[in-house]
Amino acid sequence: MSLNPRLVKESFAVVEPVADKAAAYFYGRLFAESPHLRGMFPPAMNVQRDRLFSALTRIVWSLDSPGSLSSFLGQLGRDHRKYGVIAEHYTAVGNALLATVRRFAAEIWTAEIEAAWVAAYTVAADLMIESAESDSGVSPAWWLAEVIDHELRTPDIAVITLRPGQHLPYLPGQYVNVQTARWPRVWRVFSIANAPREDNTIRLHVRAVPGGWVSTALVEHTRIGDTLMLGPAVGSMVPADSGRDILCVAGGTGLAPLKAVVEHVIASGRRPGIHLLCGARHSRELYDLPDLIRMESSFPWLRVLPVVSDEPGYDGLRGRVPEVMERFHSWTDHDVYVCGPAAMVNETVRRLQRGGVPLADIRRDVVHGEP
């Protein structure tokens, strides 16, 4: 079977407008045909459905970019080990996926399109299975980590330090899936807020989201001495190490991975100029400012720029971060890292591109946690 990305993309474009219905149908079909798989998923499926379609979208639109697709699927395959996924499960998932696309793209469905989907899924599943199997010999499916510090910085933001029982490999800018004992089988992702350390500890910046199961448990109910489960580190917003000057634009707890990137650059011994813009609605939400100021004082090439949008009396930079960013010199010839709420990230990237920064020089991510 040979890949036909065009047919897969054209048929998927018919399904995308009804993504919610399609995802619900997929899981209904999967659990009806393989009821033993239901226990691998969380009680509430809304976040799971969103993640399914997000991953599927990325896979479909990367079919004609083999390098990018292979990297993403390899990471996905390794990450799925923490759920207990094994090779046989991919057959059930593939059958449910094919039935779903066939149903929601019925008006254009042909035998040729079905063959294209079978070929694409076979390639994707084989890559994920191969990655998971190769990883199983060298890395655990998950890590147990002890909470060794829990600092409530604001009523809804905690900075949590963890010590995994085994070495957890990761790169600056990556994130981990976290599960608490309070909510078994419910995993949420949080960015690691530090570069790798000799003592293997990691730090998370967590904002409790209204209705968020894991984030609220981490902020309000987690104590020193508790144990969390962590999945493998994932994410592609890692330092370029090009030697060029750097711009970091953070919104809220989007600061976490950018702080890790800055720490990495400082530890590398290089001395690029670094501008770090930290946005918040109110000054009291600049939860990590004292630590950032200490970093700035020890590394003269770092300039920390707090930005507050909704506090007229604030004695500092005021406005929305994407707008304030444009008040400075051109950011062309910089490596740029952006993380925060999706709308803020998209607006920042749009303005950077308008200002002449190539998309290839921009690494971006959205705040993880819960919707």
Side-chain angles (χ1 to χ4, degrees):
M1 291 182 292
S2 60
L3 278 178
N4 191 326
R6 179 183 62 82
L7 287 179
V8 174
K9 290 179 181 181
E10 287 176 355
S11 51
F12 186 67
V14 178
V15 181
E16 277 189 293
V18 289
D20 288 346
K21 290 181 180 178
Y25 180 87
F26 165 80
Y27 282 111
R29 182 91 179 209
L30 177 65
F31 297 150
E33 296 182 353
S34 305
H36 62 286
L37 296 182
R38 182 62 181 92
M40 298 172 61
F41 292 86
M45 292 291 294
N46 55 325
V47 173
Q48 187 69 33
R49 285 194 290 266
D50 291 344
R51 289 185 179 178
L52 164 77
F53 225 84
S54 175
L56 185 57
T57 300
R58 180 165 176 177
I59 292 167
V60 167
W61 295 107
S62 300
L63 283 174
D64 43 13
S65 304
S68 173
L69 179 65
S70 179
S71 175
F72 176 66
L73 288 171
Q75 192 175 77
L76 208 58
R78 292 188 295 273
D79 186 52
H80 280 180
R81 289 181 59 216
K82 70 178 185 293
Y83 298 112
V85 174
I86 58 177
E88 295 79 61
H89 296 153
Y90 285 92
T91 300
V93 169
N95 291 339
L97 176 62
L98 189 61
T100 300
V101 182
R102 185 191 298 122
R103 176 188 174 104
F104 287 89
E107 67 268 28
I108 65 165
W109 199 254
T110 64
E112 190 180 11
I113 292 175
E114 178 152 340
W117 273 93
V118 170
Y121 183 78
T122 300
V123 168
D126 286 349
L127 280 168
M128 294 174 69
I129 292 168
E130 180 182 341
S131 177
E133 289 178 347
S134 62
D135 191 58
S136 65
V138 296
S139 178
W142 63 80
W143 287 254
L144 295 178
E146 180 187 0
V147 178
I148 61 172
D149 193 35
H150 186 285
E151 186 179 353
L152 201 60
R153 297 281 179 87
T154 75
D156 64 347
I157 297 178
V159 174
I160 304 171
T161 306
L162 307 173
R163 180 183 289 121
Q166 297 174 264
H167 175 64
L168 173 64
Y170 66 94
L171 298 172
Q174 291 192 308
Y175 51 87
V176 288
N177 279 269
V178 179
Q179 178 182 279
T180 72
R182 196 179 185 92
W183 295 111
R185 304 193 312 279
V186 180
W187 296 83
R188 296 292 183 266
V189 292
F190 299 94
S191 292
I192 300 173
N194 56 276
R197 298 170 171 174
E198 289 187 4
D199 65 2
N200 197 36
T201 59
I202 67 171
R203 186 164 286 173
L204 307 178
H205 296 178
V206 182
R207 182 191 294 273
V209 177
W213 295 6
V214 178
S215 63
T216 301
L218 290 173
V219 172
E220 299 182 6
H221 304 294
T222 299
R223 302 290 181 264
I224 293 174
D226 287 354
T227 298
L228 304 177
M229 289 179 66
L230 308 178
V234 293
S236 58
M237 194 179 66
V238 298
D241 288 342
S242 67
R244 303 196 306 173
D245 287 345
I246 294 169
L247 168 66
C248 294
V249 185
T253 53
L255 169 65
L258 304 188
K259 189 177 180 184
V261 169
V262 173
E263 278 192 10
H264 166 79
V265 173
I266 293 174
S268 72
R270 295 189 292 110
R271 298 291 181 263
I274 305 175
H275 285 78
L276 173 57
L277 277 72
C278 306
R281 291 185 297 272
H282 303 93
S283 57
R284 63 179 179 272
E285 296 174 330
L286 294 168
Y287 64 93
D288 206 39
L289 195 53
D291 201 37
L292 294 177
I293 291 173
R294 283 193 293 271
M295 289 175 66
E296 186 180 42
S297 66
S298 64
F299 189 76
W301 295 269
L302 170 63
R303 187 178 181 192
V304 176
L305 300 162
V307 180
V308 171
S309 62
D310 296 353
E311 188 177 323
Y314 176 68
D315 185 19
L317 289 171
R318 295 200 304 271
R320 295 168 58 247
V321 169
E323 297 167 352
V324 173
M325 174 192 70
E326 291 187 317
R327 299 178 194 170
F328 296 86
H329 57 76
S330 169
W331 300 112
T332 55
D333 300 322
H334 282 64
D335 289 325
V336 183
Y337 302 85
V338 186
C339 187
M344 168 259 167
V345 170
N346 292 337
E347 177 69 6
T348 300
V349 171
R350 187 183 67 80
R351 289 173 181 261
L352 285 166
Q353 287 187 275
R354 187 176 67 187
V357 180
L359 197 56
D361 293 342
I362 303 172
R363 288 161 176 78
R364 54 178 288 170
D365 209 345
V366 298
V367 170
H368 295 293
E370 295 170 293

